[in-house]
Amino acid sequence: MNTHQANHSTTNIDEKISIPRSLSLGAQHVLAMDLYIVPIILASLLSLTVADTSSLIQMTFVVAGLATIIQSRCLLKLPVMQGPSYIPIGAVAAIGKTLGMGAVYGALIPVAIFVALLGKPFNLFSKLVRKFVPPIVGGTVIIVVGISLLPVAFNGIYTGEAASQNIVIALVSIVSLCSFILLGCMHKRLHWLRLTSVLGAIILGTIAATFYGMSDFSSVTTAAWVQLPSLLPFGELTFDPVAIMTMLFISMIVLVETTGTWCAVSAVTGVELEDERLNRGATGEAVGHFFCSLLGGSPVTGYSTNAGIIAVTGVASRRAIIAGGFILLLLGLMPKLTSLIASIPHAVISGIFSVICVVIAMNGFRVIQHIQLSERNMLVVGLPIMLSLGAVLMPRELVYALPELVGYLVNSGIAIGALAAVILNFILPQDRVSDETPVESEA
């Protein structure tokens, strides 16, 4: 990366955009994140009451907001939103069912301490990343994230009794989003369409849903305006050794995922992931685990759709991300607003999410675009994609028949793909040409 690129990119992420523009862009990041899906899935798997489900969703917003503000402003200092990862769902559900949620949140305390120490003060995380997560692995993980989440998006469109209507609504959302992006890119005077593309697609998709009677905002009127968070909403913390080891293992997979996310954001913004930034980022991940253990919610990490939104809007300012963090925090404190977001028809979110998944995967290819795709490297990139799709498409009865720890991993195609990328890159013999050798030498 040349000096001109670096300076230009640093200006982009530190661009001092106005407060209204920051809030507008931050709102788009929040709306595209689909944050409530993970806690809703967890609540269903854990058979939580309506009150506990509401608390889980709201605290996920609060934890994500606090972690985003601290990570983007103080620690990682990249435009990265924090949100709930799909990877821990299986582990959290299994531990919660057998030992209670107190064991899940209790396990996050030692996990947070361990991850924080990897970052600061020991500065080990950057060394581990350089050793086990070079660009070919980071890029592959991002590709795996985008491809593995596509079935989640499509299932949200195809499932339910009104599948045909869902397809129409999703298509309206997809076409609207792509049209706004293209118009904003082709005409300078319409650049604002690109900046508001996600928000505009949500509005048009919701309008389309109203014609089918699929927009229901009645829950907004009954929701409370303000509800402050409480410590330990799911009871006393317990420290079970098996739960701790399981969550520690899962957290290492999540760190590989989030490192891939950072690589994608680095590729989009052109900002280098130097050692100091990586170590601060690991400590920021630990801060999110700590908040989650005390306030409840779903464990958060760097959110993959964030890189896609940056690529779509063309704005990488950290101010937009920090504004998004404050919006998340506000939503978590105001159940009425959270209910408004949750009331957006699922087909609309799924349609937009499918486009974002494609953008995420393409950003992964952007990370590895200058790497020589020898036979060895094609296996490092291709096999994790194959294995992740195999895990995603595996029949549920086979998943339930697997050993518990393996079942945790298979429940997340991303975890399988990330592990495979790390292991294959480590054990396959290196080519004579370095992985970092570009396909064509720069002029």
Side-chain angles (χ1 to χ4, degrees):
M1 183 172 65
N2 59 47
T3 306
H4 176 73
Q5 281 179 308
N7 290 340
H8 177 67
S9 300
T10 303
T11 301
N12 280 343
I13 68 168
D14 292 327
E15 182 183 359
K16 296 182 178 179
I17 60 179
S18 65
I19 291 178
R21 194 180 181 200
S22 298
L23 290 172
S24 171
L25 291 167
Q28 289 190 84
H29 281 283
V30 170
L31 289 169
M33 287 171 77
D34 207 5
L35 285 181
Y36 57 89
I37 296 299
V38 171
I40 284 176
I41 293 172
L42 275 176
S44 175
L45 293 173
L46 293 166
S47 302
L48 296 183
T49 64
V50 174
D52 284 343
T53 300
S54 176
S55 175
L56 189 68
I57 295 172
Q58 289 176 28
M59 289 308 101
T60 298
F61 275 81
V62 170
V63 171
L66 290 171
T68 295
I69 295 167
I70 293 173
Q71 185 75 303
S72 186
R73 190 177 190 278
C74 306
L75 293 170
L76 180 65
K77 293 185 177 180
L78 275 179
V80 176
M81 297 286 288
Q82 300 293 108
S85 171
Y86 283 82
I87 290 176
I89 288 177
V92 171
I95 296 170
K97 283 181 179 178
T98 55
L99 301 172
M101 290 301 288
V104 174
Y105 297 126
L108 286 177
I109 297 285
V111 167
I113 294 172
F114 180 80
V115 173
L117 292 177
L118 281 181
K120 293 292 183 179
F122 294 150
N123 297 322
L124 293 175
F125 182 69
S126 59
K127 295 181 175 63
L128 293 173
V129 168
R130 305 300 180 200
K131 179 71 174 177
F132 295 105
V133 194
I136 189 172
V137 174
T140 300
V141 171
I142 288 301
I143 296 169
V144 164
V145 169
I147 293 175
S148 296
L149 291 179
L150 266 175
V152 177
F154 289 137
N155 284 337
I157 298 171
Y158 298 145
T159 55
E161 298 178 358
S164 58
Q165 290 95 323
N166 285 345
I167 292 172
V168 174
I169 294 166
L171 281 175
V172 170
S173 305
I174 292 169
V175 172
S176 300
L177 178 59
C178 294
S179 300
F180 291 150
I181 293 171
L182 290 174
L183 286 171
C185 289
M186 291 188 298
H187 304 285
K188 288 184 178 180
R189 287 183 300 178
L190 297 178
H191 182 61
W192 61 273
L193 280 177
R194 183 185 180 191
L195 298 180
T196 59
S197 54
V198 175
L199 188 59
I202 287 174
I203 293 172
L204 290 182
T206 303
I207 291 172
T210 60
F211 287 103
Y212 292 101
M214 297 177 66
S215 295
D216 181 13
F217 294 92
S218 59
S219 62
V220 179
T221 58
T222 58
W225 276 106
V226 178
Q227 181 175 318
L228 297 177
S230 59
L231 292 177
L232 310 179
F234 289 92
E236 294 294 324
L237 302 181
T238 58
F239 301 93
D240 181 84
V242 175
I244 291 171
M245 292 305 298
T246 302
M247 292 305 295
L248 183 60
F249 179 76
I250 294 295
S251 72
M252 293 300 102
I253 304 299
V254 172
L255 276 176
V256 174
E257 177 199 15
T258 198
T259 301
T261 297
W262 298 346
C263 287
V265 173
S266 174
V268 171
T269 62
V271 177
E272 186 179 353
L273 283 174
E274 69 274 8
D275 289 353
E276 177 67 16
R277 192 184 297 274
L278 284 169
N279 291 321
R280 291 199 312 263
T283 302
E285 288 285 302
V287 170
H289 292 325
F290 184 72
F291 281 136
C292 186
S293 67
L294 296 181
L295 298 176
S298 178
V300 299
T301 188
Y303 216 65
S304 306
T305 56
N306 168 226
I309 295 295
I310 292 173
V312 165
T313 62
V315 178
S317 173
R318 288 190 295 130
R319 286 198 171 191
I321 303 302
I322 294 168
F326 279 107
I327 291 172
L328 288 175
L329 185 57
L330 182 65
L331 289 172
L333 298 176
M334 301 182 68
K336 192 175 286 290
L337 295 181
T338 307
S339 180
L340 179 64
I341 286 185
S343 297
I344 296 171
H346 195 57
V348 175
I349 296 295
S350 296
I352 293 171
F353 190 43
S354 64
V355 177
I356 297 299
C357 287
V358 172
V359 176
I360 291 169
M362 291 303 102
N363 281 322
F365 284 110
R366 179 183 291 180
V367 172
I368 64 172
Q369 66 180 327
H370 294 305
I371 294 173
Q372 181 70 47
L373 281 182
S374 61
E375 283 75 8
R376 183 259 184 195
N377 289 344
M378 283 193 288
L379 290 176
V380 172
V381 176
L383 287 178
I385 296 173
M386 179 195 74
L387 292 171
S388 65
L389 281 176
V392 169
L393 300 175
M394 182 179 289
R396 292 296 92 188
E397 57 269 20
L398 291 182
V399 175
Y400 298 144
L402 293 171
E404 194 171 40
L405 183 58
V406 179
Y408 293 160
L409 297 179
V410 174
N411 266 312
S412 171
I414 300 171
I416 293 290
L419 265 182
V422 171
I423 293 171
L424 286 170
N425 184 67
F426 192 71
I427 65 174
L428 292 182
Q430 294 285 342
D431 296 315
R432 292 181 181 179
V433 180
S434 169
D435 284 346
E436 306 304 324
T437 302
V439 178
E440 298 179 1
S441 59
E442 293 183 1

